[in-house]
Amino acid sequence: PPEAVTWDHLQPSSATSVCHWKGRAHYFDVVVDDRRLAQAAWTYPDPSPAANHLRGHIAFWRGVEVGSG
């Protein structure tokens, strides 16, 4: 959920993609210290009705470790 994300580590990317049932994803680069993982986080700011439960949530991949810390 958005309140669990440290937004200071996310920089908007110009990249987007489209899923036929979720809608258009918007990507972020994850930046911590001197490391940048390009397009390693994404969200659906305006998801389709079938995926409305994803609205505002952030997904991660490409080696991102999420935890409390």
Side-chain angles (χ1 to χ4, degrees), residues 29-53:
D29 293 350
V30 177
V31 181
V32 178
D33 298 325
D34 62 346
R35 291 189 59 205
R36 174 182 296 271
L37 295 171
Q39 301 170 13
W42 66 95
T43 188
Y44 292 90
D46 189 25
S48 70
N52 197 50
H53 62 283

Side-chain angles (χ1 to χ4, degrees), residues 2-3 8-9 11-12 14-15 19 24 26-27 29 31 33 36 38-39 42 51 54-55 57 61 64 67-69:
E3 62 275 3
D8 293 345
H9 294 296
Q11 293 183 353
S14 61
C19 172
R24 181 171 302 276
H26 293 258
Y27 290 83
D29 293 350
V31 181
D33 298 325
R36 174 182 296 271
Q39 301 170 13
W42 66 95
L54 299 176
R55 183 181 302 274
H57 286 249
W61 75 316
V64 175
S68 59

